[in-house]
Amino acid sequence: MNLSEGKLPEFSRIVELEELKDIPLLLRFTADESETLALSKRFNLVELTFLNASITLNWEKTEKVLSITGSFCASVTQNCVVTLEPIETEISEQLSLLFARDICVSTKFDDLESAEPLKGDRVDVGEIIAEELSLSLNPYPRGAGLPLTNYSVGLGGVWDRKGELGGEIREENPFSILGDIELKR
């Protein structure tokens, strides 16, 4: 999340950290049509119907450790990896992230080893939500009701229901010609 390049991401909601005082800041936002279209393109989705988020920013240690918690929900359509038919999915996720700035690990926070670095005076909460959405997407969407049987993966192989490549090598395959070659030493 580099805000210094001047180009904003598709779904940007920038929070100036100087606005964040000793009380938590609650944000609620929804992606507009142009943002959902741009995110659909970015994540190779058929469609992103909606994206809503409710996020709280809070200094755990003033100006040093920032906590971002909340939830988001989205409706996405992806192509099935088997049939290429569209599959609609509702996503509802919780998030809890920690960002740290110039702080030693010996403080009272146990999670600082997994904290992301906090640089600058701003944080793009929209981009954080977009990144979390991408992690929530099914990398191999599969239509409901498709049998988990063997599928041909081309000449010479079958993908079995255990997810292993096996099956019989058929006579007509790209490697059948190798059987006719005599090895000479």
Side-chain angles (χ1 to χ4, degrees):
M1 176 177 55
N2 190 353
L3 300 175
S4 62
E5 295 175 4
K7 182 181 174 188
L8 293 177
E10 302 89 350
F11 185 56
S12 185
R13 300 294 189 275
I14 295 178
V15 174
E16 298 290 337
L17 294 177
E18 65 186 33
E19 294 176 17
L20 196 57
K21 304 296 179 200
D22 294 334
I23 57 172
L25 175 63
L26 175 63
L27 301 171
R28 289 191 174 110
F29 45 89
T30 301
D32 65 26
E33 185 178 348
S34 66
E35 292 167 331
T36 58
L37 287 171
L39 288 170
S40 294
K41 184 177 178 181
R42 175 178 172 184
F43 300 132
N44 197 26
L45 301 172
V46 174
E47 183 178 24
L48 174 61
T49 308
F50 70 86
L51 174 60
N52 300 322
S54 177
I55 304 298
T56 302
L57 287 81
N58 188 36
W59 285 117
E60 298 294 331
K61 181 171 172 129
T62 305
E63 300 291 323
K64 297 291 183 185
V65 179
L66 178 66
S67 167
I68 299 178
T69 58
S71 62
F72 68 92
C73 59
S75 178
V76 301
T77 304
Q78 296 175 276
N79 284 327
C80 172
V81 295
V82 177
T83 65
L84 299 180
E85 295 293 320
I87 302 169
E88 294 179 23
T89 307
E90 300 293 323
I91 297 173
S92 181
E93 295 286 335
Q94 300 288 318
L95 64 100
S96 180
L97 302 170
L98 206 57
F99 294 83
R101 179 189 336 227
D102 304 325
I103 193 163
C104 67
V105 178
S106 65
T107 63
K108 68 174 183 155
F109 300 101
D110 296 331
D111 296 339
L112 283 184
E113 291 177 4
S114 63
E116 295 187 39
L118 179 62
K119 297 179 182 175
D121 312 352
R122 317 182 303 170
V123 63
D124 191 342
V125 181
E127 178 59 15
I128 291 170
I129 296 300
E131 291 171 1
E132 292 294 317
L133 171 64
S134 74
L135 295 173
S136 300
L137 295 172
N138 184 347
Y140 304 105
R142 185 181 177 92
L146 286 176
L148 294 174
T149 58
N150 297 347
Y151 288 96
S152 171
V153 290
L155 294 174
V158 173
W159 196 265
D160 70 17
R161 68 181 344 172
K162 296 176 187 172
E164 297 176 4
L165 190 58
E168 297 178 16
I169 301 292
R170 298 182 200 122
E171 288 299 319
E172 297 175 27
N173 71 62
F175 301 102
S176 59
I177 194 170
L178 296 176
D180 299 334
I181 297 176
E182 293 181 29
L183 296 176
K184 296 181 182 178
R185 292 182 186 235

